[in-house]
Amino acid sequence: MIVVSDVSKSFAGQRVLAPTNLEVPRGRTTVLIGPSGCGKSTLLRIIVGLITPDSGGVTIDGAPMTAATALELRRRIGYVIQDGGLFPHLSGRDNVTLLARRLGRDPDWIRRRVEELADLVRLPQAALDRPPAALSGGQRQRLGIMRALALDPPVVLLDEPLGALDPLVRYDLQEDLRRIFRELAKTVVLVTHDMGEAGFFGDEIVLLGGGTIVQRGTLDALIHSPADDSVRRFILAHRLPGMTAGDHR
Amino acid sequence: MTRRATIWGLVAAACLAGPAGAAERVVIGSKGFTEGIILGEILAATVRHAGGEPVHRKALGGTQIVFQALERGEIDCYVEYTGTLAAEILRDDAAAAPEQLGAALAARGIAAGAELGFDNTYGLAMKRALAERLGIRTIGDLVARADEPAIAALEFAFSDEFVRRADGWPAVRAAYGLRQTPRVVDHALAYKGIDAGSIQVTDLYATDPEPRLHDLVLLEDDRRAFREYRALILTRADLHERAPAVAAALAELAGTIDGPTMAGMNAAVRVDKQGEAEVATAFLRERVGWDVAPVAADGFRRLVHDILRATGQHLLLVLVSLAAAVVVGVPAGILAERHPAAGRWILGAAGIIQTIPSMAVLVFMVPLLGLGWRPAALALFLYSLLPIVRGTATGLASIPGHLREAALALGLTPWERLRLVELPMASRSILAGIKTAAVINVGTATIGGLIGAGGYGEAILSGIRLADAARLMEGAIPAALLAIGLERGFDRLERWLVPAGLRTAGR
């Protein structure tokens, strides 16, 4: 379980996140969504400790995220960014196994783990030993997911992981990811700006706007009982099939 | 006999044989111009004649470097000029007189030895035919008859150094009240101009071979405006105790070289392209009556040997300085990238170092580190810093922010992030900086020739000094090949060191 308590953040005097509270239940997928600049990525980066909040704090399974605990906690969090965030100087395999090797895991265990993960994300073996530049966008993102899952972390955080992929590749990856998260019962926070993707993944959807949580609930609740006009407009902007501006008037 | 006894026996034998068998080693220095080197060879041949073992550290550089080397005991003797000593070392005009000079030098552990007999002062010269036609014999004549149109029309052109030095043009202009405004020209070009008739009066050293070559006549300095530059041998004060026979032989050189003789030897080297050592032994044989065998010179084998030796010395300079610069420069580059405020200072300092002329670095460092490869390697080390620091800092700064964050979020320690992610990703840029430094070093390492560090600089500098293209090529061609070879080597190294993923990505 991830608990965010009274977390706020300003950059250069500009408020990005008002004091915010959020619990992410264990084994469930929570999607952060909202327009650009709403604070959703900032919130995710605060959870993984890349940004220190001005106030409040984050605990992960009861352990507070501080400068002293960050290293240990991050090893229990899988973090996935757009295009996989692979290191260009390492092969796919070396990207996936980097931390495990640093932590001195048994080489046989590492080899087996890579095979398992490649099966799990449906990555062809041949792609493992190529440098990232020689792979397709979808393959890079599958490797990024493998790297995040390498040490079987209980928590997985994803920052717009599929944003740069073409629709068909994205569709396949969405299916695979949801299957993986459910099979492995991971605690997941996923940031996206795509309502369809949010509805597909989210046990709960958290809609942010102007640095605060505007509404949280299921996709249905957001569509049929929007908290305010801004939620309504955000949903309309996605031009979901069968919806027009008149539906909620 | 036990092994220990054998060793003691050998030690005893060495002690007994040592003093009797070994000739006293006498190190001779010389300044970096033809006359200095000829005189150095004369001293070397004299030492050999007296049963000593001479080592001639040729063309060490300017007055400061050679004099300091003598003061520090790195060389035992060299030939200096009284006027230069007074002006540049003792900084006291009165000190040029023999008694004062001896006392001032003795205080520094140096003995003023024999005066060789010539005075290499400055002079003003004209074409002999023109001077005779106008009836000009002395500098005073130029002033006394300044109103005559033919005299007023004479064009003066001097070397830059002569115009600037207090004991040059300013001294002669003040002493005679000359009103001409001289042009500043390159010394070698002045002779061409005087042949072509575009200028009529120029400066020269009294023992230059050019007057004979261009049929010039030196105008008499009737008011003694120019300082005296009498050549004299300086030795370590203890030389006459350490090597009495050598000291005695050096004393015998007193008064043996008059002005025309010195000019003749300069001409033999500069104009007739004879070797300095041959000219020196010929002088001792013909004028002093000592038959000193010249050191055998076997053309091709000697050349190969010289080039190999220079290559070793050159590589030592380049590689030692480069290794030190990598050890210091890469961490400095990392620091510069991590802390932009410190980075501005680090890159600023490295940049300023780059603008210091190598000669200035040597003048600072020779008193601290002595002659030889150390000060040259230090200078090269300093020049190598900027490309390496900048390559490292630039390489690190160009790593995309999201990949830094990915490494952070993965749970790598700061040291692991640097070693496993950031430095490998910056490796191309770092290696490019090191390669640049290496190639520049190959060129700059020629300064080693100025301070006895050897390398290709010796051949290049003496080639320039003597306008001897073959000698210059003997250094320049291997230096170019070494630069190309190093560049190739670094390309190999890059293929080996830079991860494959970066090389494909970089295309």
Side-chain angles (χ1 to χ4, degrees), chain B residues 114-488:
Chain B
E115 290 198 10
L116 295 174
F118 67 93
D119 173 7
N120 188 9
T121 185
Y122 279 120
L124 298 187
M126 296 175 67
K127 275 277 180 197
R128 183 180 303 279
L130 179 66
E132 280 170 5
R133 184 156 55 78
L134 296 176
I136 292 189
R137 213 175 40 77
T138 68
I139 301 174
D141 291 343
L142 288 174
V143 184
R145 296 167 51 198
D147 294 337
E148 295 175 25
I151 305 292
L154 296 175
E155 281 277 1
F156 287 37
F158 302 134
S159 69
D160 177 53
E161 190 195 351
F162 180 74
V163 172
R164 278 187 299 106
R165 271 179 71 147
D167 52 351
W169 171 243
V172 70
R173 187 184 51 199
Y176 288 93
L178 286 162
R179 290 188 304 273
Q180 280 81 354
T181 308
R183 277 195 270 166
V184 175
V185 294
D186 179 80
H187 209 62
L189 291 180
Y191 294 119
K192 288 204 163 64
I194 222 163
D195 281 343
S198 57
I199 58 176
Q200 285 77 39
V201 181
T202 190
D203 64 300
L204 43 68
Y205 293 110
T207 57
D208 275 352
E210 278 77 7
R212 203 189 66 180
L213 198 64
H214 296 271
D215 199 23
L216 303 181
V217 62
L218 202 60
L219 300 183
E220 192 187 314
D221 178 15
D222 47 336
R223 293 193 195 164
R224 320 282 308 153
F226 290 118
R227 208 192 276 265
E228 284 191 318
Y229 292 84
R230 303 186 312 275
L232 89 165
I233 301 173
L234 299 183
T235 67
R236 297 285 307 160
D238 61 356
L239 187 70
H240 71 275
E241 290 161 15
R242 265 175 46 214
V246 168
L250 289 175
E252 282 185 55
L253 292 176
T256 54
I257 309 175
D258 59 13
T261 304
M262 190 67 242
M265 288 194 281
N266 285 334
V269 173
R270 293 237 299 255
V271 183
D272 307 334
K273 307 289 181 204
Q274 296 180 34
E276 289 102 344
E278 289 80 67
V279 170
T281 48
F283 160 78
L284 289 177
R285 190 171 52 246
E286 290 157 19
R287 302 297 182 93
V288 188
W290 296 341
D291 207 1
V292 187
V295 177
D298 163 14
F300 186 69
R301 274 179 58 192
R302 176 73 177 229
L303 178 72
V304 171
H305 174 265
D306 282 357
I307 289 178
L308 285 179
R309 189 180 46 104
T311 304
Q313 293 163 332
H314 211 84
L315 267 175
L316 175 79
L317 284 177
V318 169
L319 295 181
V320 166
S321 59
L322 194 66
V326 170
V327 168
V328 174
V330 172
I334 294 169
L335 190 69
E337 195 270 334
R338 287 291 133 93
H339 305 284
R344 278 191 290 281
W345 283 99
I346 292 171
L347 282 167
I352 289 168
I353 288 171
Q354 212 70 15
T355 66
I356 304 174
S358 50
M359 202 58 218
V361 176
L362 296 184
V363 167
F364 278 120
M365 291 306 159
V366 166
L368 299 174
L369 298 174
L371 291 171
W373 65 274
R374 283 190 191 83
L378 183 77
L380 295 181
F381 159 76
L382 292 173
Y383 293 137
S384 302
L385 285 176
L386 184 66
I388 295 176
V389 171
R390 183 170 284 165
T392 305
T394 310
L396 290 175
S398 65
I399 297 173
H402 69 277
L403 291 183
R404 282 171 192 275
E405 286 197 351
L408 195 62
L410 201 56
L412 294 173
T413 64
W415 169 243
E416 286 169 344
R417 292 202 304 273
L418 183 67
R419 195 168 63 81
L420 300 173
V421 176
E422 296 176 15
L423 286 179
M425 285 184 68
S427 56
R428 273 194 139 203
S429 175
I430 296 172
L431 216 55
I434 296 174
K435 183 160 87 174
T436 304
V439 172
I440 291 175
N441 266 5
V442 171
T444 315
T446 50
I447 58 171
L450 291 171
I451 50 168
Y456 301 135
E458 260 178 22
I460 293 175
L461 293 174
S462 77
I464 293 173
R465 195 175 58 238
L466 301 173
D468 178 346
R471 179 93 175 109
L472 195 144
M473 291 299 157
E474 206 180 293
I477 291 175
L481 292 177
L482 184 64
I484 294 170
L486 271 180
E487 180 131 17
R488 284 268 174 99

Side-chain angles (χ1 to χ4, degrees), chain A residues 45 48-50 71 74-75 77 79 81-82 84-90 95 98-99 102 131-134 147-148, chain B residues 402-417 419-422 424-425 499-502 504-505:
Chain A
R45 285 142 60 89
V48 75
L50 292 176
L71 200 65
R74 283 179 192 138
R75 292 174 183 171
I77 300 173
Y79 182 65
I81 58 176
Q82 202 167 332
L86 300 178
F87 305 125
H89 61 292
L90 298 177
N95 262 283
L98 182 60
L99 185 62
R102 287 318 301 154
R147 188 173 69 185
Chain B
H402 69 277
L403 291 183
R404 282 171 192 275
E405 286 197 351
L408 195 62
L410 201 56
L412 294 173
T413 64
W415 169 243
E416 286 169 344
R417 292 202 304 273
R419 195 168 63 81
L420 300 173
V421 176
E422 296 176 15
M425 285 184 68
L502 291 181
T504 47

